[in-house]
Amino acid sequence: MDTSSGEAKLRRLGPALRAAFPHTVPVLTGFLFLGIAYGVLMNAKGYGPLWSTLMSAVAFGGSMQFVAISLLTTVFDPVQAFLLSCMVNARHLFYGLSMLERYRGLGKARIPLIYVLCDETFSLVSTLNPPEGVDRKSFYLSISLLDYFYWVGGTALGGFLGDFIPFDTTGLDFALTALFVVLFLEQWKKRENRPAGAIGICATVLCLLVFGADNLVIPAMLVIVAVLLGGRKQLCT
């Protein structure tokens, strides 16, 4: 084993972690409570801390994990589960494509970066650049892995708490919606992000009126992408 190479990686990782951590504190607070809520809900349905933690570590699906609780406790329909997963996670296709340029040239680090990419990590990585003197790959890896461990750790904590402390789980599943609202408000603070936010709101309301609450996700995503691509084309010409 090349010890010099390992030491060099550690030297790069330390500054990157120190630079990344302050940016992930809002995600830490959100994921901690959201993960606890998920662990408690899983426990209430009969799935102990081991199962809920494994689900978060392997699936790492956020909103789909909450949806999966009902799938685990009803008659399993693989076709319905597949289609529901595609609808809930359709947004990953779009913002995953937008990260291609930012992740270009990062070598094997792209694999874990892609695997742990979630809404909150995307919100940070897509808008942040590493400080001067901090390795770009290590900076993005630090943000991504910190967010990942916040979620898994919160889930494990919730699973264990659910074993010892009785909880009224009414309303806990709203924690995910609340986190998205907070992330949106953080993005709205930056003036340059407001047009994209307004497009997202208008497209969602329009698709809600046309397609209904159960079928709005994919149409709304398509409308948002079409408008953004159309606007970019107009700017380029």
Side-chain angles (χ1 to χ4, degrees):
M1 180 178 178
D2 187 353
T3 56
S4 61
S5 176
E7 291 174 358
K9 290 179 180 179
L10 287 175
R11 285 197 298 269
R12 291 195 298 268
L13 187 59
L17 280 170
R18 288 192 294 271
F21 176 73
H23 298 290
T24 65
V25 170
V27 180
L28 167 61
T29 55
F31 272 14
L32 184 62
F33 289 102
L34 186 61
I36 290 174
Y38 175 70
V40 169
L41 285 171
M42 284 285 282
N43 191 278
K45 298 298 183 180
Y47 293 91
L50 176 61
W51 290 110
S52 57
T53 304
L54 281 174
M55 176 74 88
S56 288
V58 176
F60 193 54
S63 52
M64 187 57 208
Q65 288 182 232
F66 278 88
V67 176
I69 294 176
S70 61
L71 297 178
L72 291 170
T73 54
T74 57
V75 178
F76 181 63
D77 183 344
V79 176
Q80 180 191 27
F82 174 76
L83 293 175
L84 188 60
S85 298
C86 290
M87 290 180 64
V88 171
N89 293 316
R91 65 192 187 281
H92 290 240
L93 295 172
F94 301 110
Y95 68 55
L97 288 172
S98 70
M99 296 302 293
L100 289 176
E101 186 60 35
R102 189 163 286 258
Y103 285 168
R104 190 180 303 277
L106 297 185
K108 294 180 180 179
R110 293 179 65 188
I111 297 174
L113 286 170
I114 292 169
Y115 181 74
V116 301
L117 184 63
C118 61
D119 304 287
E120 294 75 16
T121 300
F122 170 76
S123 179
L124 293 174
V125 174
S126 63
T127 55
L128 294 174
N129 291 309
E132 186 177 352
V134 175
D135 179 64
R136 184 168 70 99
K137 178 170 65 175
S138 300
F139 182 69
Y140 292 146
L141 269 175
S142 296
I143 291 176
S144 302
L145 293 177
L146 283 172
D147 290 350
Y148 173 76
F149 287 119
Y150 297 156
W151 173 251
V152 176
T155 299
L157 183 58
F160 283 112
L161 288 175
D163 271 337
F164 300 105
I165 305 175
F167 281 92
D168 179 4
T169 59
T170 304
L172 277 180
D173 50 354
F174 184 74
L176 184 69
T177 304
L179 180 59
F180 279 120
V181 171
V182 172
L183 288 170
F184 175 80
L185 293 176
E186 285 295 319
Q187 291 292 314
W188 189 262
K189 289 180 180 179
K190 296 183 178 181
R191 187 179 298 273
E192 63 271 20
N193 292 336
R194 292 178 183 176
I199 291 170
I201 292 174
C202 294
T204 302
V205 171
L206 175 64
C207 291
L208 175 63
L209 295 174
V210 175
F211 299 100
D214 295 331
N215 302 299
L216 69 89
V217 177
I218 293 178
M221 289 292 179
L222 292 174
V223 171
I224 291 170
V225 171
V227 172
L228 291 176
L229 289 177
R232 182 176 180 181
K233 186 176 180 181
Q234 289 289 334
L235 290 174
C236 292
T237 55

